[in-house]
Amino acid sequence: MPEIRHSVCALDCPDCCSLLVTVDNGRGTKLRGDPSHPVTRGFLCGKVAQYLEREYHPGRLLYPQRRTGAKGEGRFERISWNEALDTIASRLGDIAARFGPEAILPYSYYGTMGLLNAAGMDRRFFHRLGASRLDRTICASAGMAGHTEALGLRYNTEPEQFRHSRLILAWGANILGTNVHLWPFIMEARRQGARLYTIDPRRNRTGAAADKHFFINPGSDTALALAMMHVIVGEGLHDAEYVARYTEGFDALRERVRAWTPGRAAELTGIPADQIAALAREYATTRPAVIRLNLGVQRSDRGAMAVRAIALLPALTGSWKEIGGGFQLSTSQAFQLNRAGLERADLQQKALGREARLVNMTSLGAALRSLDAPPVNALVVYNSNPAAIAPHQNAVLAGLRRQDLFTVVLEQFPNDTADYADILLPATTFLEHTDLYCAYGHHYLQLARPALPPPGQAKSNVEIFRLLAGRMGFDDPCFTESEDDMIRTLLDSPHPFLRGITLERLDREHSVRLNLPDPFLPFAAGGFGTATGKCQFHAETLDYTPPVESRHGDQALRRKYPFELVSAKNDDSMNSTFGHRDAVDRQTAVLHLDAADAAALGIRTSDAVRVYNDRGSAILEARVDGAVRPGVVSSPSVRWGKRAPGRRNVNALTSDRLTDAGGGATFYSCLVQVERIGD
Ligand SMILES: Nc1nc2c(c(=O)[nH]1)N[C@H]1C(S)=C(S)[C@@H](COP(=O)(O)OP(=O)(O)OC[C@H]3O[C@@H](n4cnc5c(=O)[nH]c(N)nc54)[C@H](O)[C@@H]3O)O[C@H]1N2
Ligand SMILES: Nc1nc2c(c(=O)[nH]1)N[C@H]1C(S)=C(S)[C@@H](COP(=O)(O)OP(=O)(O)OC[C@H]3O[C@@H](n4cnc5c(=O)[nH]c(N)nc54)[C@H](O)[C@@H]3O)O[C@H]1N2
Ligand code: SF4
Ligand SMILES: [Mo]
């Protein structure tokens, strides 16, 4: 008899869906959304609806392997777990003894969002070893910095409230592509007359479905937000009472935004001045109005500033008071778990007597090639595919090719990075191991138990680092803890949001709402994460400068490379995770161009084009289809480089320049030239 088991989608997606897996004789036969989940409500996105294809794909890694070919070539031979673990322990031990343990660098991101497998036993292991710490900046750190500076805290409007909004601004947010479970709430609002506007340099699926789309120049959002403030304050449309009671620095803000006329912002953003003024008025006078800001906006030189400026808007209009008002970027900080107990940063004291150095993951190429004292001589990669997803790919690949670099990769699939491993270890999928999940698009904490047996000899990250700790002789009790012990540690938090949530309850209910008021209006009466509880405008530091690589940036560079490349997310994939799928490979092999730009270059749909700049080049297939504004080109990302001509994807073009705060990546500030190739 088939059995139904609960699980949770572990992909790096705000929705964190609750899943039901039908298991027949130990084999998964069906995957669907759990209809009882209040936010994810029983449906799955297209990519994960087919996840069993990935689960049982013949390409999955099943055994530990040792590299036999050249780095990057992808030739390996099978070895035993014992041999693999002994080799890793002895090589890491030697490197630590010779160069100091900071010569070892972990490299991971959120291939799985499960806390134990993404930031659990691994962190303990590397802290105890005294390895370099990784600054995990590749995705959201600029946005987090901007959000924190604006509000002092990083929680905000919950998705369930969008149904009450009258105006929804999807600002750099491809809701249908990357956050599809918010959509039904928006549709509910629209059925009651709400409007949805999108602000994006691309007209993506969400933009196509919106009531109005504003094409904005990449990296110019701060200018738009400042001009909206100019209109709102200048016309007295702000909520004077809210501002007086719950904010600080309004007078300075009024002065600051005086110069930010819609006309000035129009030049920078490409949105006509009258439309900017109308948008500001509509935003301030429609009640409630909510902003869904996503992370596209902050992948730019001044991405933190952009997020901060946008996040200040609802404090001006007093929108935080209203059910269905406010702003959402990420809800993750509402999950006040005992992360310190899980990660055990204190173990560094034992290894080094101090904190280990911090290495920015966005600068991996530079770290591998030029860090000194000590250099990086060992790299341990898990939950990430840096050869494909990190910026300035040619620098990254040159680093990964270094003969004196010892590389270990824990993976499910033979992706680009796996090809560079000295030792390649087979990892379980989220359907095969226990984990605990926060979400960054809702407020439910979820537990998943293994629903399916691991294939071959695959092991979870938790188990692999537990075994490695044993091999290294680490005898601290935390290294023999079970998954349940680790979850109990995480739940051991004094924070009121976690009151009443236990492992037993999670096992029973699978998904548990944080202990929050319903509705949750975090800033209805102040409550900002500042010393005074008030929102600080800090107007003196609000400012805008165009990204270096943009139409208003470095003009000498722009003469060489006239197009702004936005390599935003592909709707039907998850970064590079589904790069093995042919359909995904085709979708991510495309470059969208504006019709006039394409005509000037003699390019038509289906032509092969070479996209290039000083950092590298990639070959893509042209689509001339109105998806981008003039001067912008876009390529849905991220493809497996090894499947592309020349073995390079768009990250051969992207820059490793960092954001204004948070040390983040600037993927979407990237100047390129495009030419047609062949005939
Ligand atoms: N289908 C799918 N879903 C995903 C992912 C995926 O790869 N595919 N990845 C997951 C991950 S890791 C993340 S971080 C989230 C990200 O989720 P999102 O932030 O929604 O995704 P992005 O594609 O990074 O950016 C969103 C939109 O911002 C636009 N944009 C780019 N630059 C600018 C700008 O300067 N200003 C404005 N206003 N808009 C801009 C892009 O064109 C894009 O349409 O999605 C997650 N979900
Ligand atoms: N050009 C361009 N580049 C980008 C982006 C972009 O929009 N444009 N987006 C950036 C962003 S926002 C992000 S977050 C990064 C994402 O980049 P990554 O974090 O590298 O994400 P993925 O490419 O999805 O790769 C995750 C890998 O983890 C593996 N994995 C999953 N679960 C487990 C597990 O339990 N154990 C182990 N060992 N492995 C597991 C998967 O098989 C997969 O290969 O990419 C960044 N790069
Ligand atoms: S990727 Fe997102 S939308 Fe798709 S199943 Fe996973 S959590 Fe849900
Ligand atoms: Mo991300």
Side-chain angles (χ1 to χ4, degrees):
M1 264 302 277
E3 191 191 330
I4 306 234
R5 299 195 180 143
H6 278 268
S7 191
V8 177
C9 176
L11 299 189
D12 186 353
C13 168
D15 299 3
C16 199
C17 282
S18 185
L19 306 183
L20 296 177
V21 195
T22 308
V23 187
D24 202 348
N25 258 329
R27 196 175 164 90
T29 55
K30 195 174 162 193
L31 193 63
R32 64 198 163 98
D34 181 347
S36 71
H37 194 279
V39 177
T40 66
R41 305 201 285 181
F43 72 99
L44 301 177
C45 65
K47 53 198 176 283
V48 171
Q50 311 164 49
Y51 195 86
L52 291 175
E53 167 275 327
R54 189 170 190 275
E55 174 73 19
Y56 294 119
H57 194 279
R60 265 196 73 181
L61 298 173
L62 302 177
Y63 307 103
Q65 301 182 78
R66 176 191 15 237
R67 183 169 54 79
T68 53
K71 291 197 173 198
E73 199 183 321
R75 279 199 293 132
F76 291 89
E77 67 182 9
R78 181 174 165 181
I79 55 174
S80 69
W81 267 109
N82 270 335
E83 187 179 350
L85 296 169
D86 287 343
T87 307
I88 296 168
S90 93
R91 288 295 304 271
L92 295 185
D94 287 350
I95 289 168
R98 237 181 102 197
F99 301 96
E102 286 167 302
I104 300 162
L105 179 68
Y107 196 94
S108 75
Y109 205 62
Y110 288 101
T112 171
M113 295 290 292
L115 287 161
L116 308 188
N117 284 284
M121 202 54 93
D122 55 315
R123 303 294 165 98
R124 294 177 177 183
F125 176 79
F126 290 111
H127 286 145
R128 176 66 186 81
L129 186 59
S132 288
R133 289 173 303 143
L134 187 73
D135 198 2
R136 290 176 172 80
T137 56
I138 201 101
C139 172
S141 57
M144 291 198 285
H147 192 310
T148 310
E149 205 177 335
L151 308 175
L153 282 170
R154 281 187 292 104
Y155 39 81
N156 38 53
T157 304
E158 54 199 359
E160 296 93 321
Q161 286 181 38
F162 278 63
R163 56 160 71 97
H164 301 297
S165 301
R166 307 286 302 164
L167 176 66
I168 297 148
L169 302 186
W171 200 323
N174 181 10
I175 294 164
L176 277 172
T178 63
N179 176 205
V180 67
H181 291 85
L182 187 60
W183 192 253
F185 296 108
I186 294 176
M187 287 309 286
E188 213 179 311
R190 290 174 89 185
R191 277 195 294 275
Q192 294 163 46
R195 281 147 297 158
L196 168 71
Y197 296 167
T198 46
I199 304 171
D200 199 304
R202 303 187 303 149
R203 196 198 309 267
N204 53 34
R205 273 169 69 205
T206 315
D211 297 296
K212 214 183 269 183
H213 177 68
F214 296 90
F215 272 119
I216 188 169
N217 291 333
S220 68
D221 302 271
T222 305
L224 176 60
L226 293 174
M228 286 174 72
M229 292 181 192
H230 171 99
V231 175
I232 292 169
V233 174
E235 299 183 6
L237 301 175
H238 59 286
D239 179 336
E241 195 200 326
Y242 187 91
V243 164
R245 289 181 71 173
Y246 304 124
T247 74
E248 272 171 7
F250 177 73
D251 291 339
L253 182 78
R254 181 167 43 208
E255 286 313 305
R256 191 74 181 180
V257 299
R258 204 183 289 280
W260 277 99
T261 60
R264 181 172 171 199
E267 271 174 39
L268 294 163
T269 61
I271 304 173
D274 57 337
Q275 288 188 29
I276 295 177
L279 176 65
R281 286 181 200 121
E282 198 174 340
Y283 170 69
T285 57
T286 309
R287 304 270 161 175
V290 69
I291 298 172
R292 175 51 163 131
L293 179 68
N294 216 331
L295 294 164
V297 164
Q298 48 99 63
R299 303 191 211 289
S300 185
D301 301 19
R302 285 171 185 80
M305 180 68 78
V307 167
R308 180 182 154 213
I310 296 165
L312 290 174
L313 288 169
L316 262 187
T317 60
S319 169
W320 289 115
K321 293 185 308 203
E322 295 156 356
I323 300 173
F327 153 97
Q328 187 190 88
L329 176 58
S330 159
T331 57
S332 64
Q333 216 189 24
F335 295 82
Q336 293 279 341
L337 295 156
N338 177 13
R339 299 285 293 254
L342 181 69
E343 298 182 10
R344 296 295 307 274
D346 56 292
L347 291 169
Q348 292 173 98
Q349 291 302 325
K350 208 162 171 176
L352 293 173
R354 58 173 169 83
E355 274 198 326
R357 75 171 167 195
L358 194 60
V359 176
N360 188 331
M361 73 186 296
T362 300
S363 317
L364 179 65
L368 289 177
R369 294 197 306 167
S370 51
L371 261 189
D372 211 351
V376 176
N377 286 326
L379 184 71
V380 182
V381 181
Y382 53 102
N383 304 345
S384 184
N385 181 14
I389 62 85
H392 200 349
Q393 191 161 59
N394 283 318
V396 173
L397 296 183
L400 290 175
R401 275 196 301 271
R402 261 177 50 201
Q403 287 309 318
D404 60 338
L405 177 72
F406 175 63
T407 302
V408 179
V409 176
L410 287 62
E411 248 305 336
Q412 299 159 347
F413 269 80
N415 61 15
D416 294 332
T417 308
D419 286 349
Y420 289 85
D422 291 287
I423 302 286
L424 178 56
L425 301 175
T428 44
T429 68
F430 63 89
L431 295 171
E432 299 156 7
H433 54 237
T434 294
D435 220 322
L436 185 73
Y437 298 88
C438 305
Y440 60 96
H442 60 70
H443 290 131
Y444 290 79
L445 186 66
Q446 300 182 80
L447 174 70
R449 296 293 187 185
L452 299 173
Q457 298 181 350
K459 292 186 192 299
S460 70
N461 296 344
V462 171
E463 176 65 6
I464 294 172
F465 286 108
R466 197 189 273 129
L467 290 169
L468 277 174
R471 285 292 199 290
M472 302 292 293
F474 299 160
D475 54 7
D476 315 72
C478 69
F479 291 112
T480 48
E481 276 185 14
S482 68
E483 277 78 347
D484 284 14
D485 295 334
M486 294 167 79
I487 294 173
R488 286 205 171 87
T489 299
L490 270 170
L491 295 173
D492 180 14
S493 157
H495 201 278
F497 292 179
L498 283 165
R499 196 175 304 136
I501 305 183
T502 60
L503 178 59
E504 290 66 31
R505 188 169 161 208
L506 282 161
D507 256 322
R508 227 171 26 243
E509 300 175 24
H510 315 293
S511 173
V512 175
R513 182 175 159 89
L514 292 177
N515 188 28
L516 298 169
D518 187 9
F520 179 45
L521 296 171
F523 311 123
F528 294 95
T530 53
T532 56
K534 294 186 179 186
C535 175
Q536 312 272 359
F537 289 122
H538 282 307
E540 67 287 357
T541 58
L542 269 180
D543 204 2
Y544 176 67
T545 329
V548 174
E549 296 197 29
S550 72
R551 66 185 72 200
H552 296 293
D554 180 336
Q555 292 307 306
L557 197 65
R558 184 156 177 263
R559 276 191 291 280
K560 263 169 95 179
Y561 304 120
F563 294 102
E564 297 167 309
L565 169 69
V566 176
S567 52
K569 311 296 182 197
N570 182 42
D571 286 357
D572 295 328
S573 48
M574 175 55 60
N575 305 310
S576 75
T577 293
F578 295 102
H580 67 284
R581 287 183 180 163
D582 293 340
V584 165
D585 191 59
R586 285 193 298 273
Q587 290 158 359
T588 51
V590 162
L591 185 78
H592 298 275
L593 297 106
D594 164 70
D597 289 342
L601 297 165
I603 291 170
R604 282 182 306 209
T605 288
S606 301
D607 285 348
V609 293
R610 195 171 80 93
V611 189
Y612 63 95
N613 60 20
D614 287 341
R615 289 176 292 266
S617 69
I619 293 179
L620 297 165
E621 200 184 300
R623 289 280 180 284
V624 184
D625 56 5
V628 288
R629 71 175 331 173
V632 176
V633 293
S634 116
S635 180
S637 295
V638 181
R639 189 183 198 186
W640 276 9
K642 68 200 263 182
R643 297 190 63 163
R647 300 176 76 88
R648 294 294 183 277
N649 65 21
V650 285
N651 281 325
L653 304 159
T654 54
S655 148
D656 57 1
R657 181 177 290 111
L658 301 180
T659 52
D660 49 346
T666 56
F667 288 109
Y668 305 163
S669 294
C670 175
L671 286 177
V672 297
Q673 178 57 293
V674 183
E675 66 184 17
R676 192 163 72 95
I677 47 174
D679 264 310

